[in-house]
Amino acid sequence: MTPLSLVGARMPSHTIAALSDASNGLRRFSRLPRIGKALCPVYSRASSSWSRNDVAQQRRLSLALRHYQPCSIRPASLFSTSTTRRLKLENGESGSETRTEQNSTASTPSKLASTLKSTLKLDKPRHEQIYNIPNLLTFSRLVATPVVGYLIIHNQHLYAFSLFAYAAISDLLDGWIARRWNLQTVVGSVVDPMADKFLMTTLVTCLAVNGSLPMPLFVLILGRDVSLAASAIYYRYASLPAPKTMARYWDFSLPSAEVHPTNISKFNTFLQLSLLGTLLCTNLLHDPSATSSAAGGILTSIQELLGGEGGVQTMIQGISAIVASTTIYSGLEYTWSKKAVVILGGDEALKRKQGFRGRMIMASGFGSFIALAVYLWYNGRTEEDVKKAVEKK
């Protein structure tokens, strides 16, 4: 007989069952691999002697367990169900962390697979269909602009006016077609305003060279555009985030400043185009091929309604004075308005400093052109007075 059976002869049956359970648990615990960390104390019914006041004894054991620090070992899959129940950790967060790590470990392969799939997926680059009617009209206007300038300088006013009329009509038509049939493209949004500005600059320069546009007004119109371009170059460089390289400077996908044209500037552009169109029409009266055409009679009748050649010159001088006033006012508005150019970024002190410098560049540049225009106008008036004095004599 074993010692356990001998003890069992003197003990009740339920005590023997408790001892057998404890011995089985210890035997299973001995099969576990040894770990360098200290194990939590395991208490079972076999660790205390049997007595009738077992309730008070279990209370003392629970009080004693409070003095032990939480165990750092984590239940592994080798533990049986009964042993795992006995080795429950006092800190409930450690068990939740273990489950979280196991879940993250289990989901790691799926995350890696999805990441690799998204990384290796090669999306086809989207190409815009730029060969459409609005873009063709815009490019044709861009090509026709130098031809218009050449014809104006060589006094071919009928052909120059015809190409100018085509450019004006195509400017209205390409925008309407693009909006009507949803044919807007990035290339069109860039080339269209560039073609308009190129046409304006070419007409102003060639009409000034031809003598149709007064030189002081030419200086004002061209000086405003040049001053705006110089200040825009500074705004772009100053507000561009570091590193300031040429590649990043011309990369317009990195916005650094926003330009908001003023209402007077838009109205001034309309008046300038009206003046240029009027000058081209008056030049037709001095072109024999235009006066001898079918539209020659209409032009002559319009000139007579305006008071003859003197009336036409008075009308042009009035429009030129209005254009000069709006050009000066619109240019100077960019020097004091802080809303015309908005610099992006979070440093308000730096933005105020950059905005002040940009406005000063605009003021100094445009102020110089205004002074030059006043000088040319004064000399022109002086020469006219001299000619009149000579004619009277």
Side-chain angles (χ1 to χ4, degrees), residues 21-22 88 102 137 201 217 227 240 246 248 357 366 377:
D21 291 339
K88 283 183 178 179
Q102 291 176 355
L137 290 174
T201 305
L217 185 57
S227 302
L240 183 67
M246 289 298 295
R248 288 169 56 84
R357 290 176 180 175
F366 190 50
W377 175 80

Side-chain angles (χ1 to χ4, degrees), residues 2 7 48 108 146 149 162 222 233 236 277 281 291 336:
T2 62
V7 176
S48 59
T108 299
S162 301
L222 190 63
I233 292 173
R236 176 62 177 172
C281 289
T291 54
W336 68 68

Side-chain angles (χ1 to χ4, degrees), residues 365-385:
F366 190 50
S368 301
F369 282 102
I370 291 176
L372 178 60
V374 171
Y375 173 76
L376 293 174
W377 175 80
Y378 179 77
N379 282 347
R381 297 287 296 180
T382 304
E383 291 178 359
E384 289 181 0
D385 293 339

Side-chain angles (χ1 to χ4, degrees), residues 154-168:
H154 290 80
N155 296 323
Q156 301 292 328
H157 301 295
L158 179 61
Y159 300 109
F161 181 79
S162 301
L163 280 180
F164 173 76
Y166 166 77

Side-chain angles (χ1 to χ4, degrees), residues 270-299:
F270 171 76
L271 290 178
Q272 288 179 3
L273 289 174
S274 301
L275 175 62
L276 296 178
T278 303
L279 291 176
L280 290 175
C281 289
T282 55
N283 288 336
L284 293 176
L285 297 173
H286 304 283
D287 190 356
S289 60
T291 54
S292 61
S293 63
I298 299 176
L299 292 174

